Amino acid sequence: MTLDQPNVAAFDPVLADEVRRGLTSQPKRLSSRFFYDDEGSRLFSEIMHLPEYYLTRSEYEILDTNKEQLLSLFAADNRPFNLIELGAGDGLKTKLLLSHFVEQGARFTYVPVDISAAALDGLTADLRQKLPALAVQPQLGDYTEALAQLTHQATEGADAPRQVVLFLGSNIGNFAPADAVAFYAQISQQLQPGDLVLTGFDLQKHPAVIHAAYNDREGLTKAFNLNLLRRLNRDLDADFNLAAFDHYELYDPESGEARSYLISQTKQTVNIRALDMTVPFAYGDFIHTEISRKFTRDGIEQLASQTGFALTQWLTDCRHYFADVVYRKS
């Protein structure tokens, strides 16, 4: 493997660094944060509508059933609030809340944050057409940077907006345990006492239900994972042959982790010209692309206590597959 350091100024330096480190590590790995280019965001929107993918329907049920309760919590003491959604995507579930909040005359601004410009533009245009009374301030970029910028701009005083952070869809499951603690500690540092975080957590359940959610019969999850290689071909001038890789998923009920891999189906060598490196693959070699952790209530409460939050609301769907949990900054 060639490890010379070329000039990659024309390429995304974060992506370049992650790919260099990930594909020279053992085992090979690529971060799931890079799934969501425009095509990845489009594919994930389709995945959310699959019959096997229970997560979206479960969380939609929770938000629909509890939208009045959530508004009462967010707008407590008649304070205005900023609704900051990390990883907004197409806003499918959030639109349900937004419509209700606007109908009730709530004083709030919706701040969708996403790394996909296409997803953000589409969401903003749709909201401005369907909810013209809604104040929308889209933010393109990384979660933590956008949140730091927004909270830095926040005003103080009795009528200052409460910061309400949304992190839906069990995106927190993509973090390793230590990374989840670090991420919520970062969020906590940006918030004031009384600010809120609403997080979606996929709960532990029968392994067959979880396994099916990541192995859909239509092959959309496979296409979603393989699109990561297509992105490297485009953005880093690589030559991955997508037909030479397969998608493999497993769920371990002992650890509560669903893991995604791309498996090399032949002996091959991939060139990543922007990084001046070659990556050899033997038959059966794999790239670990994603972890999706499933949670227990004890684990969710522990995450709050470790990061400066108190668990305020615990909301589940009728099957107890999923939980939306409100943390309050202590």
Side-chain angles (χ1 to χ4, degrees):
M1 185 176 298
T2 304
L3 298 179
D4 296 334
Q5 299 287 333
N7 179 6
V8 294
F11 300 90
D12 180 348
V14 176
L15 175 63
D17 182 61
E18 290 270 359
V19 169
R20 180 182 299 283
R21 289 190 292 110
L23 294 185
T24 57
S25 67
Q26 290 297 330
K28 297 180 180 70
R29 61 184 65 250
L30 291 170
S31 173
S32 60
R33 66 186 292 193
F34 300 114
F35 278 147
Y36 298 95
D37 63 353
D38 293 345
E39 176 64 6
S41 295
R42 185 193 68 78
L43 285 167
F44 188 68
S45 292
E46 292 190 29
I47 288 170
M48 289 194 298
H49 292 89
L50 291 170
E52 301 95 332
Y53 198 78
Y54 61 85
L55 292 87
T56 302
R57 292 188 302 279
S58 298
E59 189 166 38
Y60 193 93
E61 175 195 324
I62 295 169
L63 298 178
D64 189 29
T65 303
N66 297 281
K67 56 183 180 289
E68 293 182 12
Q69 182 178 348
L70 289 171
L71 178 56
S72 296
L73 189 63
F74 296 169
D77 304 320
N78 199 33
R79 280 182 63 185
F81 60 95
N82 292 324
L83 194 65
I84 305 167
E85 182 170 17
L86 307 181
D90 65 1
L92 173 67
K93 292 164 291 190
T94 314
K95 289 173 186 174
L96 185 152
L97 295 180
L98 298 176
S99 296
H100 178 70
F101 294 174
V102 169
E103 288 172 3
Q104 297 302 309
R107 295 187 298 152
F108 77 105
T109 298
Y110 176 53
V111 186
V113 179
D114 207 280
I115 60 173
S116 169
L120 205 57
D121 290 345
L123 172 61
T124 303
D126 186 57
L127 289 173
R128 286 176 174 159
Q129 178 183 6
K130 295 179 179 177
L131 294 172
L134 174 65
V136 184
Q137 294 182 2
Q139 294 283 328
L140 179 67
D142 177 79
Y143 298 160
T144 52
E145 291 177 0
L147 184 61
Q149 180 181 353
L150 290 164
T151 53
H152 178 71
Q153 296 170 352
T155 57
E156 298 182 357
D159 200 44
R162 174 180 288 113
Q163 307 300 324
V164 180
V165 178
L166 301 186
F167 198 41
L168 303 179
S170 199
N171 287 322
I172 188 59
N174 298 140
F175 290 69
D179 294 336
V181 171
F183 181 63
Y184 273 76
Q186 278 187 303
I187 293 176
S188 180
Q189 290 171 4
Q190 302 295 337
L191 301 180
Q192 298 298 317
D195 288 343
L196 304 172
V197 180
L198 173 63
T199 305
F201 292 93
D202 194 13
L203 301 178
Q204 293 185 13
K205 60 188 71 66
H206 196 295
V209 175
I210 295 171
H211 183 73
Y214 298 93
N215 287 274
D216 63 279
R217 288 168 290 182
E218 293 185 33
L220 285 175
T221 308
K222 176 179 178 178
F224 178 65
N225 274 261
L226 287 171
N227 183 64
L228 180 56
L229 303 185
R230 182 179 289 108
R231 178 178 183 179
L232 300 190
N233 286 350
R234 181 192 68 228
D235 292 354
L236 294 178
D237 197 19
D239 61 2
F240 283 96
N241 176 6
L242 273 61
F245 287 86
D246 196 13
H247 167 249
Y248 178 71
E249 178 77 28
L250 64 85
Y251 174 65
D252 175 14
E254 186 172 0
S255 66
E257 294 180 352
R259 291 177 170 266
S260 295
Y261 300 90
L262 291 171
I263 310 295
S264 177
Q265 301 188 90
T266 186
K267 181 180 179 180
Q268 57 183 309
T269 298
V270 174
N271 299 294
I272 306 178
R273 286 177 284 270
L275 305 183
D276 191 26
M277 63 184 286
T278 59
V279 185
F281 289 88
Y283 170 73
D285 276 358
F286 62 86
I287 306 171
H288 179 210
T289 58
E290 185 178 30
I291 180 176
S292 184
R293 295 168 55 222
K294 311 306 172 186
F295 293 85
T296 63
R297 178 156 185 161
D298 285 348
I300 293 168
E301 290 178 342
Q302 184 179 36
L303 178 61
S305 65
Q306 289 177 315
T307 55
F309 291 103
L311 196 157
T312 300
Q313 290 286 337
W314 174 272
L315 308 169
T316 65
D317 63 292
C318 64
R319 295 181 295 182
H320 300 280
Y321 276 7
F322 201 94
D324 276 307
V325 177
V326 179
Y327 288 169
R328 184 188 301 275
K329 172 67 183 289
S330 302

